[in-house]
Amino acid sequence: MKKVLVIFGGASSEHDVSCVSARFVIENIPQDKYQVLMLGITKNGEWFRYTGKTENLPEDKWTEDKENLTKAVISPDASCHGLIVFEKDGIKEEKIDVVFPVMHGKNGEDGTIQGLLQLAGIPYVGCDCLSSAICMDKTLTNTVADHAGIPQAKWLGVTQYEYSLDEDKILDKAEEYLGYPVFVKPANAGSSVGVTKVSSRETFKEAMETAFREDRKLVLEEGIVGQEVECAVMGNDEPVAGQVGEIVPANEIYDFEAKYISDASKLFIPARLSPEKLEEVKKAACYAYKSLGCSGLARVDFFVTPDGGIMLNEPNTLPGFTSISMYPKLMAAAGIESGELLGRLIAYAEEKWSK
């Protein structure tokens, strides 16, 4: 039976969501095909092999289960092809067949853990190091999308250094090129952390300071009026789109609270679009997926404007896998239930990295 290592947690603003997603993944991976192992990373960046109950993953209760925690790391040495476990009676190696990095945001979805796994020579679920990094950094995503001819909002990239040289010059440029409202976003942060919608000069500087607390590089985007829709995609060379869903956020921005805390956000599956427009969104999602070099899985988000235009919002290379997350819901709506979905994602990983 093949061993699948699920990595969860991490030093990220999305640590808690990762732990909830990991529980869903672990409990739904087909147990008749795979032996599932767990590797948890604390908010401080400590790595542990965890052998306790999956119900302890949410709220970081797993970190308190000391009897089931053993220091362990993934070896970058390809001859090991797995874990180095620091047990009481000595150091042991444990071979791993596939890794499922159920990690969101920084240090998990940005190419860092993917680069380690590529050095280690271990197949893993999801986009590769390069694609993960491009999709995590909104300035790189937008640059590639522009080059690929993918419609999206007008945008500007700003570094903290550039802004420090002349704040008013940057704001003047944004006002002239983008108009109001403007969305101020960290270039590298997940779940809309640090994102602010700005409608006047008075609140612009405060929004910039908020975003710079998350990243040294920002993206400023024009506001788009339209339906917020999401499409689940999976596959390698021939991506397959699941169903398209629509979100009506509880808050003005579909931020961390609206995604994971408030139950007031409304979800429509399928999205409230004509059958023809749903197919257009699926086609656009697969095109963006391939253009950005994605593989394994991603959720691709769009705006559908009142005139029927389809504009890229952002890709998510490791979307949430909680019980309320859109990705598994959209795949289930397309007839692919959780067990089959996770099995196929693992198979895509083996297929990609066997070449």
Side-chain angles (χ1 to χ4, degrees), residues 61-135:
K61 292 178 181 177
W62 66 276
T63 61
E64 302 167 10
D65 188 7
K66 303 299 183 182
E67 292 184 0
N68 289 300
L69 293 178
T70 308
K71 276 285 203 179
V73 295
I74 291 175
S75 173
D77 186 334
S79 67
C80 174
H81 207 272
L83 288 173
I84 297 176
V85 185
F86 301 91
E87 297 185 348
K88 292 180 180 178
D89 57 348
I91 297 174
K92 296 182 179 180
E93 294 183 358
E94 185 161 12
K95 185 178 182 298
I96 301 298
D97 294 296
V98 181
V99 169
F100 199 137
V102 188
M103 302 174 69
H104 313 306
K106 290 182 181 179
N107 302 312
E109 201 175 349
D110 57 2
T112 50
I113 195 78
Q114 290 78 12
L116 172 60
L117 294 169
Q118 285 174 222
L119 284 174
I122 306 172
Y124 61 90
V125 172
C127 297
D128 63 20
C129 179
L130 177 60
S131 179
S132 296
I134 289 172
C135 291

Side-chain angles (χ1 to χ4, degrees), residues 14 17 21 24-25 102 104 109 260 297 299 316 318-329:
E14 296 185 74
V17 180
S21 290
F24 178 93
V25 169
V102 188
H104 313 306
E109 201 175 349
Y260 302 116
L297 79 155
R299 195 193 71 232
N316 292 268
L318 211 301
F321 272 89
T322 70
S323 61
I324 63 170
S325 294
M326 283 290 271
Y327 188 89
K329 283 180 176 291

Side-chain angles (χ1 to χ4, degrees), residues 5-51:
L5 178 69
V6 174
I7 307 178
F8 62 90
S12 163
S13 60
E14 296 185 74
H15 173 100
D16 293 338
V17 180
S18 168
C19 293
V20 179
S21 290
R23 178 180 180 181
F24 178 93
V25 169
I26 293 163
E27 293 179 352
N28 285 281
I29 287 178
Q31 303 295 320
D32 59 330
K33 293 182 179 180
Y34 305 103
Q35 178 185 354
V36 182
L37 309 178
M38 296 179 280
L39 182 68
I41 304 175
T42 69
K43 292 178 180 179
N44 295 324
E46 297 178 275
W47 293 44
F48 293 97
R49 169 93 154 80
Y50 178 59
T51 54

Side-chain angles (χ1 to χ4, degrees), residues 289-301:
Y289 185 93
K290 294 184 74 170
S291 298
L292 293 164
C294 296
S295 56
L297 79 155
R299 195 193 71 232
V300 189
D301 302 346

Side-chain angles (χ1 to χ4, degrees), residues 56-224:
N56 288 333
L57 298 188
E59 301 177 3
D60 259 1
K61 292 178 181 177
W62 66 276
T63 61
E64 302 167 10
D65 188 7
K66 303 299 183 182
E67 292 184 0
N68 289 300
L69 293 178
T70 308
K71 276 285 203 179
V73 295
I74 291 175
S75 173
D77 186 334
S79 67
C80 174
H81 207 272
L83 288 173
I84 297 176
V85 185
F86 301 91
E87 297 185 348
K88 292 180 180 178
D89 57 348
I91 297 174
K92 296 182 179 180
E93 294 183 358
E94 185 161 12
K95 185 178 182 298
I96 301 298
D97 294 296
V98 181
V99 169
F100 199 137
V102 188
M103 302 174 69
H104 313 306
K106 290 182 181 179
N107 302 312
E109 201 175 349
D110 57 2
T112 50
I113 195 78
Q114 290 78 12
L116 172 60
L117 294 169
Q118 285 174 222
L119 284 174
I122 306 172
Y124 61 90
V125 172
C127 297
D128 63 20
C129 179
L130 177 60
S131 179
S132 296
I134 289 172
C135 291
M136 183 68 182
D137 188 312
K138 293 178 175 64
T139 62
L140 297 180
T141 300
N142 291 357
T143 298
V144 173
D146 280 343
H147 182 75
I150 299 171
Q152 61 182 341
K154 291 189 293 185
W155 65 281
L156 294 170
V158 183
T159 66
Q160 196 165 29
Y161 173 74
E162 292 168 340
Y163 186 63
S164 70
L165 295 178
D166 193 334
E167 295 180 3
D168 288 321
K169 180 181 178 180
I170 296 293
L171 300 186
D172 288 342
K173 183 178 180 181
E175 288 178 331
E176 180 181 352
Y177 180 58
L178 305 176
Y180 287 113
V182 174
F183 284 88
V184 181
K185 304 179 178 181
N188 293 275
S191 285
S192 302
V193 174
V195 176
T196 306
K197 182 180 179 180
V198 174
S199 298
S200 67
R201 184 67 167 247
E202 287 72 29
T203 56
F204 213 147
K205 289 189 177 182
E206 182 181 350
M208 297 290 283
E209 292 171 5
T210 297
F212 276 130
R213 284 196 286 270
E214 301 297 330
D215 193 17
R216 295 173 60 85
K217 182 165 57 172
L218 309 184
V219 170
L220 311 180
E221 294 180 351
E222 69 169 331
I224 299 295

Side-chain angles (χ1 to χ4, degrees), residues 273-309:
L273 299 169
S274 69
E276 294 77 16
K277 188 61 64 175
L278 289 172
E279 289 304 313
E280 283 185 50
V281 173
K282 292 178 186 179
K283 184 176 179 181
C286 288
Y287 179 70
Y289 185 93
K290 294 184 74 170
S291 298
L292 293 164
C294 296
S295 56
L297 79 155
R299 195 193 71 232
V300 189
D301 302 346
F302 296 94
F303 296 107
V304 178
T305 59
D307 63 358

